[in-house]
Amino acid sequence: MSISLQKGQKVSLTKDNAGLSKVVVGLGWDEVKQKKGFFAPKPQAIDCDASALVLRNGRLVDQKDVVFFGNLRHPSGTIQHMGDNLTGAGEGDDEQIIVDLAQLPGEYDRIVLVVNIYQAVQRNQHFGMIENAFIRLVNASNNTEMCRYNLTENYSGMTAMIFGEIYRHNGEWKFNAIGQGTNDPGLGELTRRYL
């Protein structure tokens, strides 16, 4: 049974899922609603980009540790981004990142899951224009959703989002629902928070 998380809530992934190896991180959102009216301009689709920042001792040590649409696979082979969705159209996950927790090298202790709006400043777009944003973790071995965090706050003006993090604590894997909006204009600025 999936756990519905609140902002700031932490949950163990391995306690109730003995032998957990791989998880699918699904991120989703709904495209911007169009204004009604004959003369209303058609809004430009919002392109949200999900990324995984793979940290050592809580820090981003190497740019190769950023898994995103431009670097789909971590050098260790244990984290893979499944590709870019340019609009958020359709049901279910818009982007997925697969993490092999069992094979992730021991020096990595945290995977921060972030989403930024591509060219947010140039396109004058922000998370207040997005609805039904969520992150969910699925046990890849049986396709069972373990937990889900739905963003419910008003994130107007925010161009990036720290959704949550998977981290190692006392030999078990946990997930922390963060839900922190930022004004970082792109992934490069967002990664600097972890240097």
Side-chain angles (χ1 to χ4, degrees), residues 5-40:
L5 300 174
Q6 303 298 315
K7 183 174 183 170
Q9 189 175 353
K10 297 177 173 83
V11 64
S12 173
L13 299 176
T14 48
K15 189 163 121 181
D16 294 330
N17 297 284
L20 178 69
S21 174
K22 285 186 182 179
V23 295
V24 177
V25 179
L27 298 115
W29 56 88
D30 285 339
E31 50 193 329
V32 65
K33 286 200 184 291
Q34 297 191 17
K35 292 179 181 172
K36 303 287 184 200
F38 187 72
F39 294 107

Side-chain angles (χ1 to χ4, degrees), residues 31-158:
E31 50 193 329
V32 65
K33 286 200 184 291
Q34 297 191 17
K35 292 179 181 172
K36 303 287 184 200
F38 187 72
F39 294 107
K42 184 175 189 251
Q44 188 169 11
I46 297 178
D47 179 7
C48 290
D49 294 321
S51 305
L53 314 179
V54 191
L55 309 183
R56 294 182 224 182
N57 296 317
R59 292 276 169 235
L60 184 63
V61 177
D62 192 320
Q63 287 301 315
K64 292 178 191 161
D65 292 332
V66 179
V67 179
F68 68 111
F69 70 87
N71 178 35
L72 293 174
R73 193 173 191 82
H74 188 262
S76 68
T78 59
I79 300 171
Q80 182 168 353
H81 192 297
M82 301 309 292
D84 193 14
N85 178 325
L86 301 177
T87 65
E91 295 294 315
D93 300 338
D94 291 310
E95 293 192 8
Q96 291 183 329
I97 298 171
I98 298 173
V99 181
D100 188 342
L101 297 172
Q103 298 300 316
L104 186 68
E107 67 262 22
Y108 296 105
D109 61 341
R110 190 169 304 265
I111 302 160
V112 180
L113 302 154
V114 300
V115 175
N116 66 286
I117 298 174
Y118 179 72
Q119 293 186 336
V121 175
Q122 298 91 318
R123 296 178 179 189
N124 197 28
Q125 295 175 335
H126 55 85
F127 272 88
M129 301 165 77
I130 294 172
E131 294 182 334
N132 306 320
F134 68 86
I135 182 170
R136 68 189 194 112
L137 274 66
V138 175
N139 184 336
S141 68
N142 59 14
N143 207 29
T144 302
E145 183 176 287
M146 296 181 292
C147 61
R148 174 185 288 258
Y149 171 46
N150 294 311
L151 295 181
T152 56
E153 293 181 19
N154 181 352
Y155 292 101
S156 289
M158 301 294 156

